[in-house]
């Protein structure tokens, strides 16, 4: 079965919503530099989750800024 023709999936890698999440500035825990993934997954709340891979894995997406604020690596903004 090929997902390339599926309107909700981009190739074999991720759903179109996952692509949209990246375009909107959200990232997976492994993409956040300077904070171990295990700590992000334990202490940060994901903004969204989306399907990834040809096995439709559920992957959490985070605001990098919010994670960095939680760990004291950035200052909160007025919008926070």
């Amino acid at each position: 079965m090929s997902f390339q023709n599926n309107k909700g999936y981009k190739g074999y890698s991720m759903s179109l919503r996952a692509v949209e999440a990246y375009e909107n500035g959200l990232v997976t825990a492994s993409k956040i530099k300077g904070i171990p993934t295990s700590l992000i997954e334990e202490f940060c709340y994901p903004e969204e989750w989306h399907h990834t891979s040809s096995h439709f894995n559920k992957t959490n997406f985070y605001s990098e800024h919010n994670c960095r604020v939680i760990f004291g690596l950035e200052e909160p903004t007025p919008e926070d």
Side-chain angles (χ1 to χ4, degrees):
M1 178 171 156
S2 172
F3 297 105
Q4 293 175 338
N5 294 327
N6 185 326
K7 293 180 183 178
Y9 230 72
K10 179 177 175 145
Y12 292 97
S13 61
M14 66 183 84
S15 70
L16 295 178
R17 298 258 186 193
V19 172
E20 188 176 276
Y22 276 118
E23 290 172 352
N24 290 330
L26 298 178
V27 295
T28 59
S30 64
K31 301 257 189 236
I32 298 175
K33 304 285 186 220
I35 307 170
T37 299
S38 61
L39 292 179
I40 293 169
E41 291 172 345
E42 184 173 349
F43 294 106
C44 299
Y45 190 79
E47 301 287 324
E48 304 173 355
W49 68 267
H50 299 286
H51 288 112
T52 57
S53 87
S54 61
H55 298 285
F56 302 106
N57 294 330
K58 181 180 173 182
T59 303
N60 288 326
F61 283 75
Y62 300 86
S63 161
E64 183 169 4
H65 170 72
N66 289 346
C67 291
R68 295 182 71 73
V69 167
I70 287 170
F71 289 99
L73 301 173
E74 287 184 12
E75 293 293 321
T77 62
E79 295 81 34
D80 294 336

